[in-house]
Amino acid sequence: MIHEVFMPALSSTMTEGKIVSWEKSPGDKVEKGETVVVVESDKADMDVESFYEGYLAIITVSAGDSAPVGAPIALIAETEAEIEAAKQQAAQSTPATDTATPQQVTASTPEPVQTTLAAVADTPSRRNGRIIASPRARKLAKELRVDLNTLRGSGPHGRIVAEDVQAAAGKGSTPPAPATTTPAPLPTAAVMPTPTPAPMPTPPAAVPLGEVVPLNTLQNAVVRNMMVSLQVPTFRVGYTITTDELDKLYKKIKPKGVTMTGLLAKAVAVTLQKHPLVNASYTERGIQYHSSINVAVAVAMADGGLITPVLRHAEQLDIYSLSRTWKDLVDRARTKQLQPEEYNSGTFTLSNLGMFGVDRFDAILPPGQGSILAIGASRPTVVATPDGMMGVKRQMQVNITCDHRIIYGTDAAAFLQDLAKLIETDPQSLTL
C-alpha cells in the first residue's frame, strides 16, 4: 500500500508550511514514531513524526519549498517493491488531485492513504529511547558525520543543539556551556534600556537593493495578524513612570540572573491581578476573563519578523524563576524551537523599543488580546521636587493600546496608575 504524506497543521492559525529539511531520503526505511521531516509553521520549526512504517518512496515538496496545509508532500511505500509504483503515481498526479482533500480508502485499491503526522513537543517525555536534537543539529551531524548517540545536549531539557555537534566535530570555537549555568541577562532585543543604548541593527551586506524579496513564513504570519488587528477599535493612553527605585533593585539582583524584562513582566503581572479586565479579551459571546496571566514579550528575529514568547502564569512565578524561564524562551525563539503554546497563549503583551533610544511609540494590538503596553527609554529628566526645587530623576514613557469594545479609558488609566505606583514606591515586593 502507498501512503500519501500531507502537510500537517501544526497550529490553529497555520495555513501553509515550509519544509525546513527532510530527515529521510528517498529509499530510506521509515519507522513508526520516527522523525521524517522538519516543518516551519508560522513561528517555529517542528519535528514531524510518522505513525506508519515503510519506505520513503518520493519527495514531492523539496526542502525550502512551501505547501498549503493538507497538500501532499511525499509518498511512503509499505514495501520496497512498491517504491517504483509510488514514483509512477507521483509522475501521473495532476494539480487537481494534488490539492484534493485527503481521504482514506480501502487497502484493496492502489489509491493513496493519508499518513497521519504528529508534531511532537520537545519535552523530556519525548525521550523513550529517542535522541532529542534540534533540526539544525541533526543536519549538521549528517554533514559532519557526528554520531548523536555520543553527545550530551547542552540545550533546554538536555536537547542537543548545533553547538554540541560543532564542538564534537572540533569546529566549535568554544565548548557549549552546561544547561545548569546561571542565566545571563537577556539579549538587548528585549530588555530595558541601559545607560548606553544598543546600536541600531545594520542591514546585511548582501541586501538585494532594487529587488523584491518574498516574505518568509514568519513575516507572512505577522502580516496576517496585523490585518486582523485593523478590524479592532482601539485607543491609547500614555503615562510617565519614574524608574529610580526599579533601577536600584535591578542593579542589586542582576548578578543573580534577573533581567529587566523579567522585572517589568512581573510588575505587569502583579498589577493585572488588580485589573482582570485589562487582561481580558473580546469574544462574540462577551468578555473572556482569563484564569491566568500570560505575559507575552515581543522579540525581533534576526532573519525578519516578530515573535512573542509567553511567560505563562507570570503572576505565580518568583522573579528568579521567571527570568530563567524568559532566557530559555528567548534562546529557543531565536533557533525557532518554541512550541505553539509558548508563543500564541499570551493574554497581555509588552513591546520595548527603549534600547534604541525611542522615547515613546504606539504598539498595535495583537489578535485575541485586550491590551499591549509599549515601553520607551528610561532617561534622566529634570523634574520639580515636592519642596519646590529642581531635581533629576530617571523616567520612562509607557503607552497602552486597548480594545475599546471591552476596555475604556478609565480602566486603562487605573491600570497604569497602579503599575507606576508599584514601580516607583514598592519594586522590592517583586522579589517576594
Side-chain angles (χ1 to χ4, degrees):
M1 184 181 297
I2 299 171
H3 301 278
E4 197 166 19
V5 181
F6 297 93
M7 176 66 72
L10 303 179
S11 70
S12 59
T13 59
M14 179 176 169
T15 59
E16 181 181 78
K18 178 180 179 181
I19 304 298
V20 177
S21 64
W22 284 94
E23 300 301 299
K24 292 290 184 178
S25 300
D28 287 353
K29 184 77 168 64
V30 176
E31 301 291 343
K32 181 178 180 181
E34 187 174 18
T35 297
V36 177
V37 62
V38 179
V39 174
E40 179 185 47
S41 65
D42 288 349
K43 298 182 179 181
D45 293 348
M46 307 281 284
D47 290 4
V48 180
E49 300 178 349
S50 174
F51 284 166
Y52 294 81
E53 60 180 68
Y55 295 85
L56 183 60
I58 187 170
I59 294 172
T60 57
V61 179
S62 303
D65 292 339
S66 300
V69 169
I73 58 177
L75 294 178
I76 293 180
E78 288 192 352
T79 65
E80 288 186 276
E82 294 176 312
I83 293 179
E84 191 59 37
K87 292 180 179 179
Q88 294 177 5
Q89 177 179 306
Q92 295 171 359
S93 63
T94 62
T97 58
D98 283 347
T99 57
T101 301
Q103 296 180 346
Q104 186 166 336
V105 296
T106 60
S108 59
T109 67
E111 295 300 318
V113 179
Q114 179 179 1
T115 299
T116 305
L117 295 175
V120 182
D122 181 27
T123 64
S125 63
R126 281 193 58 194
R127 297 180 187 279
N128 295 327
R130 295 185 62 249
I131 299 170
I132 302 179
S134 69
R136 184 161 176 258
R138 291 179 183 274
K139 183 177 181 181
L140 278 175
K142 285 185 178 181
E143 295 175 353
L144 302 178
R145 297 183 180 181
V146 173
D147 185 0
L148 292 176
N149 291 290
T150 64
L151 302 186
R152 181 175 181 179
S154 65
H157 310 296
R159 183 185 181 95
I160 298 173
V161 295
E163 289 76 8
D164 300 326
V165 177
Q166 292 172 335
K171 295 182 178 295
S173 56
T174 57
T180 57
T181 53
T182 302
L186 182 69
T188 56
V191 292
M192 271 288 291
T194 59
T196 303
M200 287 289 289
T202 56
V207 170
L209 300 178
E211 298 182 14
V212 176
V213 179
L215 299 177
N216 60 34
T217 306
L218 179 55
Q219 290 169 324
N220 276 316
V222 173
V223 170
R224 290 194 296 271
N225 286 340
M226 294 304 97
M227 295 306 294
V228 171
S229 295
L230 288 177
Q231 304 173 17
V232 179
T234 59
F235 71 96
R236 298 164 181 84
V237 178
Y239 208 97
T240 301
I241 301 178
T242 299
T243 64
D244 289 344
E245 296 302 316
L246 185 68
D247 292 337
K248 291 178 184 177
L249 175 63
Y250 176 52
K251 291 179 181 179
K252 181 179 178 181
I253 61 179
K254 179 180 178 181
K256 299 180 181 179
V258 174
T259 66
M260 182 58 81
T261 294
L263 279 172
L264 288 172
K266 182 66 176 179
V268 164
V270 169
T271 308
L272 285 173
Q273 288 181 298
K274 301 178 182 178
H275 301 272
L277 182 61
V278 183
N279 190 54
S281 58
Y282 171 84
T283 70
E284 293 296 334
R285 296 179 289 108
I287 302 174
Q288 174 66 59
Y289 287 94
H290 300 288
S291 58
S292 63
I293 298 173
N294 299 339
V295 180
V297 185
V299 175
M301 301 294 282
D303 57 349
L306 189 73
I307 193 168
T308 53
V310 178
L311 288 162
R312 305 176 74 185
H313 306 285
E315 80 282 12
Q316 300 177 13
L317 297 175
D318 64 80
I319 188 61
Y320 305 102
S321 298
L322 189 145
S323 291
R324 287 193 296 269
T325 300
W326 175 244
K327 182 180 185 301
D328 172 59
L329 287 170
V330 171
D331 288 344
R332 290 189 290 118
R334 296 193 186 284
T335 56
K336 302 177 72 174
Q337 297 303 314
L338 291 181
Q339 299 302 310
E341 67 273 9
E342 293 177 315
Y343 61 77
N344 65 11
S345 59
T347 59
F348 186 99
T349 296
L350 298 181
S351 181
N352 176 21
L353 292 179
M355 77 288 296
F356 298 119
V358 173
D359 291 322
R360 68 194 62 161
F361 66 102
D362 293 334
I364 298 177
L365 186 70
Q369 294 184 29
S371 305
I372 180 173
L373 186 68
I375 302 173
S378 178
R379 296 179 178 278
T381 306
V382 177
V383 299
T385 61
D387 57 6
M389 304 298 288
M390 302 299 289
V392 176
K393 292 184 178 295
R394 293 190 67 86
Q395 294 185 328
M396 69 178 181
Q397 304 289 330
V398 298
N399 207 4
I400 191 170
T401 301
C402 299
D403 185 340
H404 211 334
R405 293 174 296 183
I406 60 172
I407 301 171
Y408 306 138
T410 54
D411 303 314
F415 166 77
L416 292 178
Q417 189 176 49
D418 284 345
L419 177 64
K421 182 178 179 180
L422 172 62
I423 290 176
E424 293 177 350
T425 66
D426 192 25
Q428 190 66 38
S429 64
L430 299 176
T431 63
L432 301 179

